[in-house]
Amino acid sequence: MTMAMKTQHLPAAAQSNLSHLPGYDPAAPALEVTGLQVEFTSRGRTTARVVSDVSYQVAAGQTLAVIGESGCGKSITARAVMGILPPQARVTAGRARLHGVDLLSSDQATLRRLRGRHIAMIFQDSLSALNPVLTVGFQIAEVFRTHQRLGRREADERAVEMLELVRIPAASRRAREYPHQFSGGMRQRVMIAMALAMDPDVLVADEPTTALDVTVQAQIMELLAELQQQRRMALILITHDLGVVADRADKVAVMYAGRIVENAPAAELYDAPRHPYTRALLKAAPRRGTHGQTLTILHGAPPDLSRLPQGCAFRPRCVEAVDACAITPPLHQVGPGHASACHHCTEGVGDD
């Protein structure tokens, strides 16, 4: 059976209908986040601002990579957009629009209908994300039963089709197995199958290759790219691994201490990074031609988001810091689609 034959019964993105919701605009970006701010609270008091004035957008068929060290706010931003923040977190400003529909002002019933059908997420820990006492086939079939009201037999058949789509061998048999019976790479394929069951307009992949070996990482990324191309999905790829996104992303947003400090077309960001943090990440990452060379170490650690330093949050670790860095720099436009939050970037200081 060919890939086209396997997917012909799956819901098409063109059939996704948001037109009855306020703000819907078919010409708008698939997802547009504007001025997003997320705070952690305790006993009614703000303890940390973990996301600050984050804005990005991604069009149908595009891949946006959001990169940065652990704790920089990448995953919390995605969870805010999905409406699945932990209890101690809340959105205090900003908008997230799915083809113009404001997700953050939608009620819970509307969000439940949108999640899965129009916007879906792959989580980084597949073993925790999957229910250990239910078969993987049952868990995928549940998506069809919930969103399309299919009967059990038809939903089970569609679940097997999805497992075949993500190239899990002996899909009919493996659908009856439990998550612990799958390898890490195969569990990620199950997560992809579940996320793509309703053919969403936007797929958020949160560290989809964490803890997988290099060969399996490449297979997962190749699979995501192929399925994205077939379905014209917008893909948001959250990762700390610049190597994973080098050949996959159209655009890159670099986050540090809850803010976007640089965004640019992927090729331009790799060739001419304009923020010292981006340059430090690139110099610390293995790339073609670096075999046998000593990589540069990015000293220090990201700041505590409840006690950010004055001015630029990267200043204590930055080799280019000057007195002006005691004032927080805004995102400066340094070229078409390229912005950097650094006082130096408009002067060309330190450019490669």
Side-chain angles (χ1 to χ4, degrees):
M1 186 180 290
T2 66
M3 183 71 70
M5 292 174 65
K6 284 186 210 174
T7 59
Q8 64 184 348
H9 299 302
L10 299 175
Q15 297 171 354
S16 296
N17 189 1
L18 295 164
S19 60
H20 64 289
L21 295 175
Y24 171 69
D25 179 1
L31 181 69
E32 182 175 22
V33 177
T34 308
L36 186 68
Q37 184 169 291
V38 179
E39 296 178 350
F40 275 24
T41 60
S42 177
R43 298 179 182 178
R45 299 179 60 185
T46 299
T47 57
R49 181 174 296 172
V50 293
V51 174
S52 182
D53 196 27
V54 166
S55 299
Y56 58 64
Q57 66 180 44
V58 59
Q62 271 191 334
T63 297
L64 167 69
V66 183
I67 65 173
E69 292 168 285
S70 297
C72 71
K74 307 183 302 293
S75 297
I76 286 292
T77 299
R79 286 178 172 271
V81 169
M82 296 290 295
I84 53 173
L85 284 171
Q88 70 273 25
R90 62 191 179 99
V91 175
T92 54
R95 295 182 182 276
R97 295 183 177 92
L98 180 70
H99 285 301
V101 176
D102 193 345
L103 298 172
L104 302 184
S105 65
S106 297
D107 57 50
Q108 285 300 312
T110 300
L111 272 178
R112 281 193 294 271
R113 289 195 297 271
L114 293 175
R115 282 197 298 260
R117 183 177 289 274
H118 296 284
I119 182 169
M121 188 168 180
I122 302 170
F123 297 93
Q124 58 181 289
D125 186 353
S126 57
L127 193 57
S128 297
L130 293 167
N131 190 320
V133 300
L134 299 174
T135 66
V136 298
F138 181 92
Q139 294 181 64
I140 299 171
E142 185 68 13
V143 178
F144 294 108
R145 289 192 292 268
T146 300
H147 287 285
Q148 292 191 325
R149 308 295 183 190
L150 297 186
R152 180 166 182 171
R153 181 172 181 174
E154 187 176 0
D156 288 347
E157 290 174 353
R158 297 283 283 277
V160 172
E161 286 182 359
M162 292 306 303
L163 292 176
E164 291 174 343
L165 179 70
V166 297
R167 299 178 196 148
I168 290 182
S172 182
R173 173 177 60 82
R174 304 226 65 187
R176 300 190 295 272
E177 296 180 347
Y178 294 86
H180 73 272
Q181 295 175 278
F182 288 73
S183 67
M186 285 297 167
R187 281 197 299 270
Q188 282 301 96
R189 290 172 185 264
V190 171
M191 292 296 298
I192 294 170
M194 192 178 299
L196 295 184
M198 288 291 102
D199 202 6
D201 303 281
V202 178
L203 178 64
V204 181
D206 187 3
E207 300 278 9
T209 59
T210 295
L212 302 179
D213 65 48
V214 175
T215 301
V216 177
Q217 282 185 13
Q219 292 171 354
I220 294 296
M221 292 307 302
E222 185 67 34
L223 177 62
L224 279 173
E226 191 173 313
L227 294 173
Q228 178 195 20
Q229 186 176 27
Q230 290 173 9
R231 295 167 173 233
R232 290 285 296 163
M233 283 186 312
L235 175 62
I236 296 176
L237 179 61
I238 299 169
T239 183
H240 63 274
D241 188 341
L242 281 79
V244 167
V245 303
D247 300 320
R248 304 294 181 188
D250 299 296
K251 303 189 296 183
V252 180
V254 182
M255 288 191 70
Y256 187 79
R259 297 183 67 210
I260 290 180
V261 296
E262 184 164 12
N263 56 49
E268 184 173 340
L269 183 123
Y270 277 80
D271 290 342
R274 300 298 296 272
H275 195 281
Y277 179 59
T278 309
R279 288 196 287 272
L281 288 179
L282 289 170
K283 289 176 181 177
R287 289 192 288 176
R288 294 185 185 95
T290 61
H291 179 71
Q293 298 180 16
T294 301
L295 298 176
T296 302
I297 296 174
L298 175 54
H299 293 283
D304 182 341
L305 293 178
S306 65
R307 294 191 297 272
L308 288 174
Q310 181 182 1
C312 175
F314 187 58
R315 180 167 61 122
R317 305 172 72 188
C318 183
V319 297
E320 300 177 29
V322 294
D323 290 345
C325 300
I327 299 173
T328 303
L331 270 173
H332 299 282
Q333 290 299 129
V334 295
H338 193 164
S340 173
C342 178
H343 291 299
H344 294 317
C345 67
T346 56
E347 306 164 9
V349 175
D351 289 348
D352 289 344

